[in-house]
Amino acid sequence: MLNVRDLHVHYGGIHALKGISIDVPSGKIVTLIGANGAGKSTTLRTIAGLVRKSSGEILYEGKPIDGWPPEDVVKAGIVMGPEGRRIFPHLSVLDNLMLGAYSRTDKDGIERDLEWVYELFPRLKERLWQKGGTLSGGEQQMLAVGRALMSSPKLVMLDEPSLGLAPLLVKEVFEIIETINQQGKTVLLVEQNAFASLKIAHYAYVLEVGQIVLEGTGQDLLNDKRVQEAYLGG
Amino acid sequence: MSMAMFIQHLFNALTLGSLYALIAIGYTMVYGILRLINFAHGEIFMLGAYFVFWGVTLLHLPWFLAVIVAIAVTSLTGVLVDRVAYRPLRDAPRISALISSIGVSFFLQNLAIVVFSAIPREVQRPGWLVDIIVVGKVRILPLTLVVPVLSFLLMLGLLFIVYKTKPGLGMRAISKDIETSRLMGVPVNRIIALTFGIGSALAAASGIMWALRYPQLQPVMGVIPGFKAFIAAVFGGIGSIQGAVLGGLILGIMEIMIVAFLPTLAGYRDAFAFVLLIIILLVKPTGLLGEKLEDKV
């Protein structure tokens, strides 16, 4: 579904990505793990159209999408839930969700997806008229995921969705990711929580300072000595 | 002062206040989204006034049509200014766009001098707007009824767009977080263009009504109303539409009333607004309805 080929990105004078190639097959969960500054977020941001590549290719369903403005990437079916949730604190929960559907014009489809999001996150439905900023951290993360789903994406990219959440909520977030995957969404997940993300991932890449140093199925990497030492606390 | 006089002053004050408010909305909307003080906004106001009288005197359009055309053309001019002078600087330091706006301001003033000439033009006003109505002892210029009512309707229309439509939702999202808005699929540049279009249309409406109220056109006519509306926007809380309206009304009312009650101070009429600006910046820099300043600056 998504193929990234030898992607180079320079970012504020830094060579942030030094030739990254990843494949995200349709219907799978693929995860990028790695330390801070490894280039995980930059990879997602480049795919989303926020950052310009220096060289390389980003193919989505066989078509190059690099250089597209973010709104066109969203329209094509790739959405990114940014790091830190970034919900709109001054807008109601419903307005936040409707913003996710901004690129769409199919009213019936939007209604259907709203119902679906309410089903996934019943707590959001209870708080529709509340301002986004008044939600708890966990609720905000649900809103961020729900908002991303409202664009009717085929590929959902999530940047550190478990960041800053209590352990119980972290578990819930990963369950949700599995659920939306089972319901047909392809997921590209960036996480520092390597253990949890490898457990749900079909395929995984390990990034170190802008390069992929290791790749394999989630299970393979969980059992890999180097991964265990570097990311799973030995 | 007699009651009748007071009522007359009140209508004058509301008129001036609504004219300030309409201009102030443009400052505040652009600031809310781009954190840019668009110093060319006063010139947009001036262009609106010139266009309408061009339409009437040169093209012999009926008034109503001339007003619509002038507002549309001014609105497009505002969009063009953004496209040419601000959009290329979107990623530049904020001060660059600010300096660019000062450049656009001078450019439009001088362009107006070349195109319209620097000679002040008298505005021929339709009679029904200026034939005094007498109610008891109160003598009212119909214009001072029409201007506040029209302005109020325009502001209602604006609030509808901002709070009840999809582009309005986009505007409110962008004003808080441009990057996330883009990630959600909001076409940011188009929404910004729309913001300039709406702000410029309101400034044009204000310029046209201003020229009917104070019937003289000149290329620098936008400078002082522009500054005062800017002060009104800061006073009300820049970034807040309701604040701009409130600030504009308060500034207009105070200006007229001070001259009315303290005629000896009439000469300081323009200075008064700037004193107000200094006071509000010292006492409450975020303005009456402004939100807390964030670290976005």
Side-chain angles (χ1 to χ4, degrees):
Chain A
M1 172 179 263
L2 182 79
N3 313 95
V4 177
R5 291 278 155 269
D6 196 27
L7 185 66
H8 287 260
V9 172
H10 290 80
Y11 200 33
I14 300 165
H15 197 174
L17 297 184
K18 304 167 185 166
I20 284 198
S21 298
I22 58 176
D23 291 297
V24 184
S26 183
K28 304 288 185 201
I29 300 177
V30 174
T31 185
L32 307 179
I33 60 172
N36 253 339
K40 305 176 308 248
S41 293
T42 305
T43 307
L44 293 199
R45 292 165 62 84
T46 312
I47 299 169
L50 286 177
V51 178
R52 291 205 167 272
K53 61 160 192 186
S54 310
S55 63
E57 263 190 325
I58 303 172
L59 298 173
Y60 171 65
E61 296 180 326
K63 280 182 311 207
I65 58 162
D66 32 76
W68 287 19
E71 61 262 31
D72 290 353
V73 176
V74 174
K75 246 185 212 150
I78 303 179
V79 73
M80 171 175 168
E83 182 178 341
R85 307 186 270 276
R86 302 276 283 267
I87 59 143
F88 296 95
H90 63 311
L91 299 180
S92 69
V93 168
L94 183 61
D95 276 348
N96 267 282
L97 291 173
M98 291 313 286
L99 262 171
Y102 199 93
S103 58
R104 300 170 68 180
T105 49
D106 55 324
K107 273 203 167 132
D108 298 346
I110 293 175
E111 277 305 315
R112 260 200 313 281
D113 283 343
L114 259 185
E115 288 305 321
W116 179 45
V117 169
Y118 295 160
E119 224 171 276
L120 287 171
F121 309 110
R123 255 184 291 171
L124 290 185
K125 195 179 179 182
E126 294 161 19
R127 303 198 184 324
L128 279 187
W129 306 107
Q130 221 168 299
K131 291 210 166 154
T134 65
L135 300 183
S136 71
E139 289 164 345
Q140 289 191 7
Q141 185 57 57
M142 290 172 191
L143 180 55
V145 174
R147 185 180 63 178
L149 293 177
M150 285 305 295
S151 67
S152 184
K154 292 178 195 155
L155 173 61
V156 182
M157 303 192 293
L158 296 173
D159 195 354
E160 306 277 8
S162 76
L163 195 72
L165 295 182
L168 209 65
L169 290 168
V170 171
K171 196 169 153 249
E172 207 173 317
V173 165
F174 282 100
E175 282 168 9
I176 285 289
I177 294 170
E178 279 196 293
T179 309
I180 62 173
N181 174 248
Q182 281 154 12
Q183 300 194 7
K185 304 292 182 195
T186 308
V187 178
L188 177 55
L189 177 64
V190 156
E191 260 298 338
Q192 294 208 41
N193 188 338
F195 183 70
S197 55
L198 287 176
K199 254 176 53 183
I200 65 166
H202 299 103
Y203 204 79
Y205 296 87
V206 180
L207 261 76
E208 265 171 28
V209 282
Q211 278 172 317
I212 288 170
V213 292
L214 208 59
E215 62 180 275
T217 64
Q219 201 54 47
D220 284 350
L221 292 195
L222 271 179
N223 297 330
D224 189 284
K225 264 229 149 58
R226 288 163 294 176
V227 173
Q228 284 175 355
E229 276 168 21
Y231 302 105
L232 304 174
Chain B
M1 180 183 297
S2 71
M3 196 61 199
M5 281 296 280
F6 179 76
I7 291 175
Q8 281 162 221
H9 285 309
L10 190 65
F11 279 109
N12 284 336
L14 281 177
T15 298
L16 186 62
S18 355
L19 292 176
Y20 285 153
L22 285 178
I23 316 172
I25 288 170
Y27 280 109
T28 222
M29 285 178 78
V30 166
Y31 182 85
I33 286 185
L34 293 178
R35 303 292 182 272
L36 162 71
I37 306 291
N38 176 17
F39 279 114
H41 197 54
E43 277 55 55
I44 295 288
F45 162 95
M46 172 270 293
L47 287 178
Y50 265 104
F51 286 152
V52 99
F53 296 98
W54 237 16
V56 171
T57 52
L58 293 182
L59 304 175
H60 304 292
L61 296 175
W63 262 94
F64 177 73
L65 194 63
V67 167
I68 303 278
V69 171
I71 289 178
V73 174
T74 313
S75 174
L76 287 178
T77 310
V79 174
L80 187 72
V81 166
D82 168 54
R83 183 72 191 78
V84 173
Y86 307 145
R87 188 162 146 189
L89 295 169
R90 214 73 99 202
D91 298 323
R94 212 160 282 150
I95 191 83
S96 307
L98 187 82
I99 293 167
S100 183
S101 84
I102 295 172
V104 173
S105 170
F106 284 126
F107 173 76
L108 291 178
Q109 264 177 43
N110 286 285
L111 187 73
I113 290 174
V114 173
V115 177
F116 306 125
S117 102
I119 303 163
R121 310 258 168 182
E122 200 195 328
V123 174
Q124 300 296 327
R125 303 186 286 184
W128 63 275
L129 280 174
V130 284
D131 294 338
I132 304 277
I133 308 173
V134 182
V135 184
K137 282 184 183 167
V138 185
R139 299 162 55 83
I140 292 174
L141 195 67
L143 196 61
T144 59
L145 294 173
V146 172
V147 169
V149 170
L150 270 183
S151 306
F152 181 71
L153 292 177
L154 287 172
M155 290 169 204
L156 279 188
L158 172 75
L159 290 179
F160 177 82
I161 293 175
V162 172
Y163 289 101
K164 296 285 172 205
T165 68
K166 193 162 150 178
L169 179 61
M171 284 179 193
R172 284 180 291 144
I174 293 175
S175 72
K176 210 64 171 189
D177 186 343
I178 287 197
E179 188 177 278
T180 307
S181 305
R182 305 189 76 188
L183 285 176
M184 294 305 117
V186 180
V188 166
N189 280 325
R190 237 186 301 158
I191 298 290
I192 292 173
L194 179 70
T195 307
F196 273 92
I198 291 175
S200 304
L202 293 178
S206 181
I208 294 164
M209 294 191 280
W210 186 281
L212 291 168
R213 180 77 184 87
Y214 309 100
Q216 198 181 54
L217 297 179
Q218 42 184 325
V220 291
M221 66 181 279
V223 176
I224 290 293
F227 273 131
K228 286 194 186 158
F230 167 62
I231 292 169
V234 173
F235 180 61
I238 195 142
S240 155
I241 292 174
Q242 289 86 340
V245 173
L246 188 67
L249 285 175
I250 291 178
L251 189 64
I253 290 170
M254 286 174 91
E255 201 178 305
I256 295 282
M257 290 304 173
I258 281 183
V259 176
F261 285 95
L262 305 164
T264 46
L265 292 182
Y268 295 98
R269 188 177 167 156
D270 289 342
F272 166 73
F274 295 95
V275 172
L276 185 70
L277 175 68
I278 294 169
I279 292 173
I280 191 81
L281 287 177
L282 288 174
V283 177
K284 194 169 186 298
T286 55
L288 296 177
L289 303 182
E291 290 172 40
K292 257 201 177 148
L293 277 183
E294 286 165 68
D295 297 328
K296 285 190 101 164
V297 190

